[in-house]
Amino acid sequence: MTTRSRSAQQGGKGSLKWLVWLFLALSFAFFAYLSATLPITGDDFGWASGFGANYFKSGRWLTYDGRYLGDWLIITMMRVRWFKIVVYAAGFTGILYLISLFFPKRRLFYTVGSFVLLMGMPVTLFAQTFGWNAGFVNYVPSVLVPLGMLYLFRKYLYYQSVPLRKRTDYWLTAFILPLAILGQFFAEHITLFNVVLSIAALGYFWYFQKQKARFLWGYAAGSVIGALLMFSDGAYHSVAKNADQYRHVKLSLDTVLATIRNTLFTNLASKNLLILLVVSVVALFLIVRADWKLSHKVLLGVSLWLEPLYQIFLRTTGISHTHLILNVNMGLTLLYFVALLVFLWRCLPHKQAAELTSYLVMAILLVAPFAVASPVGPRCFFASYILLILFTLLLISETVGEQLSSQGTLWLTVLLMAAALGQAVPLMRDAHDMQQARQLQVAYLYFQTQDKQKSYAKVTLQYLEVPHRHLIWQVASQSNDWEYNEYYLIPGHAGGTVIPYSQWHKIYLKEPNTEQFFQRMYWGQ
């Protein structure tokens, strides 16, 4: 094998290493563009206004929540635009970078693959993480610490691909301890997960495997200290007394079962159609080639394809999610999960099967608290979705990835890059349209409320609709959002009317002069 062939196979080394960094740089630029153009929304306005300005000064933080670092980030991001763009882009790019570290071979292929799977997330999850800064600060940066720790476990302890030197261990411990503490101030379920993961890793590697890595103690100590600091906040005392107006703990069996069926199963599996399809395709490819009885092949193959096909059927027919539909979905999801476990343990060496199984279990453990805790929304499943991405890519790496030639890897990487471009360009176009619409929306509101118009003021204001609203998280109506009005200093009015984007944008294209466009919209000419 030539030197060039070896380099091409490794993908993350030699001549292709710079391509990985180039792709990460382009990803950073893409995420930065989204941050700069997607309009702020929801309680972003509150954090950017008086509430955020007085949050720490007034002592409100002592009884609001224990997300101290996330709260500081959103307050700062809403006041310093360049800081918002950098943190936003660094958060998502950091996840791609950490995932890429799991793949020393064909690193470019898996890095691009992670981008495609990330951008293929359910639109509701996108809206609450990419399209909502207050959602981003709590649910995206919080993933970095546990994801980084999983990489260190894999590298130094599980596979021992690199020997852990004493000096390295000391430096890791010194670095991880404060980082683990800070990583606990974002989202409660991530805080609990870090505690469980750190203690489980300490027990497994230190006591059972006799691997005396000191950084395990740093992670465990930091996680416990951070958790104690977070949950010492007065807000959780109110939750425990069932006196909190926003957060609740529900222990009714019927409510818990309904949440598991309607929310947990749906967001963990049903909505993640791209993940389901990729895993099922890889599994079917290996099942067909396996030296098993035909009946076993058919049974396992069908079990792994019923859930994806069912989801495609529901989406194409538009059938509403009745109790029957949800019950069938839960049954097929359970069947899919069991069949996937059978597939892993029959097709992979036990060490690899155990690793992949652990990621599936962790994805479930991450959201297990929401069976009893509320509120719960798609954003709460972001960390689980990242673990599912990692699971999918590692499954490919441990199976069909090992059988790919350097030329095959190259062509697949090119196809993935084309897919990534196909995802990024429409999003950038939509984000630009949303930014332009928001600017016109605000300018038109000022036009309607300026002094020279007061004598002719209408009873209600006209709000130009911002398009592609599915990409951002917005609880209140565009015409009745008091935080929006406070942020943009819009005088209080008794409601308003929304002018559909399809209607006002046609007029705008014919009348590019902004002042004349406003006059035409206002007087109905």
Side-chain angles (χ1 to χ4, degrees), residues 80-81 94 125 145 244 277 314 327 346 380 416 430 475 508:
V80 184
R81 190 167 185 265
L125 179 55
V145 169
D244 192 277
L277 287 173
L314 292 180
N327 287 333
R346 286 202 65 175
C380 304
L416 284 175
D430 291 347
V475 178
Y508 179 72

Side-chain angles (χ1 to χ4, degrees), residues 3 113 123 134 147 152 187 214 266 304 349 368 383 519:
T3 303
V123 67
L147 187 59
L152 293 178
R214 292 172 180 81
T266 301
L304 285 168
Q519 291 282 355

Side-chain angles (χ1 to χ4, degrees), residues 394-412:
L394 284 172
L395 175 64
I396 295 173
S397 174
E398 299 293 348
T399 55
V400 296
E402 291 297 321
Q403 304 173 26
L404 287 174
S405 64
S406 58
Q407 187 174 11
T409 303
L410 176 62
W411 281 111
L412 285 175

Side-chain angles (χ1 to χ4, degrees), residues 263-322:
T263 304
L264 300 193
F265 272 93
T266 301
N267 287 279
L268 268 178
S270 308
K271 289 185 177 181
N272 302 326
L273 183 57
L274 180 58
I275 295 283
L276 293 175
L277 287 173
V278 172
V279 171
S280 295
V281 167
V282 172
L284 184 63
F285 175 79
L286 293 172
I287 290 170
V288 169
R289 300 181 63 183
D291 186 19
W292 302 344
K293 290 182 179 180
L294 180 60
S295 58
H296 292 180
K297 289 184 177 184
V298 172
L299 180 61
L300 196 57
V302 170
S303 299
L304 285 168
W305 272 93
L306 281 177
E307 170 67 0
L309 292 176
Y310 181 68
Q311 294 307 318
I312 292 173
F313 169 76
L314 292 180
R315 296 185 186 204
T316 53
T317 58
I319 296 177
S320 59
H321 286 189
T322 62

Side-chain angles (χ1 to χ4, degrees), residues 380-448:
C380 304
F381 294 82
F382 180 79
S384 294
Y385 187 78
I386 297 302
L387 284 180
L388 292 178
I389 290 177
L390 183 59
F391 167 86
T392 304
L393 295 175
L394 284 172
L395 175 64
I396 295 173
S397 174
E398 299 293 348
T399 55
V400 296
E402 291 297 321
Q403 304 173 26
L404 287 174
S405 64
S406 58
Q407 187 174 11
T409 303
L410 176 62
W411 281 111
L412 285 175
T413 304
V414 171
L415 288 175
L416 284 175
M417 285 185 171
L421 194 63
Q423 292 172 317
V425 171
L427 270 174
M428 294 173 69
R429 180 195 60 217
D430 291 347
H432 172 268
D433 292 344
M434 295 171 75
Q435 181 191 44
Q436 182 186 56
R438 171 59 62 82
Q439 291 171 346
L440 286 171
Q441 181 188 63
V442 175
Y444 184 48
L445 287 171
Y446 288 155
F447 172 83
Q448 296 175 75

Side-chain angles (χ1 to χ4, degrees), residues 201-278:
L202 186 62
Y204 178 77
F205 291 115
W206 187 283
Y207 290 103
F208 290 100
Q209 298 296 317
K210 306 301 180 184
Q211 294 171 293
K212 307 299 183 180
R214 292 172 180 81
F215 74 82
L216 292 171
W217 286 100
Y219 180 38
S223 297
V224 171
I225 292 171
L228 291 174
L229 290 174
M230 171 186 241
F231 290 110
S232 66
D233 191 274
Y236 306 108
H237 300 164
S238 299
V239 174
K241 297 175 182 177
N242 199 27
D244 192 277
Q245 295 182 347
Y246 181 64
R247 290 158 292 228
H248 307 279
V249 175
K250 46 188 186 296
L251 299 177
S252 165
L253 181 60
D254 290 339
T255 304
V256 170
L257 292 176
T259 301
I260 292 174
R261 183 194 64 180
N262 302 345
T263 304
L264 300 193
F265 272 93
T266 301
N267 287 279
L268 268 178
S270 308
K271 289 185 177 181
N272 302 326
L273 183 57
L274 180 58
I275 295 283
L276 293 175
L277 287 173
V278 172

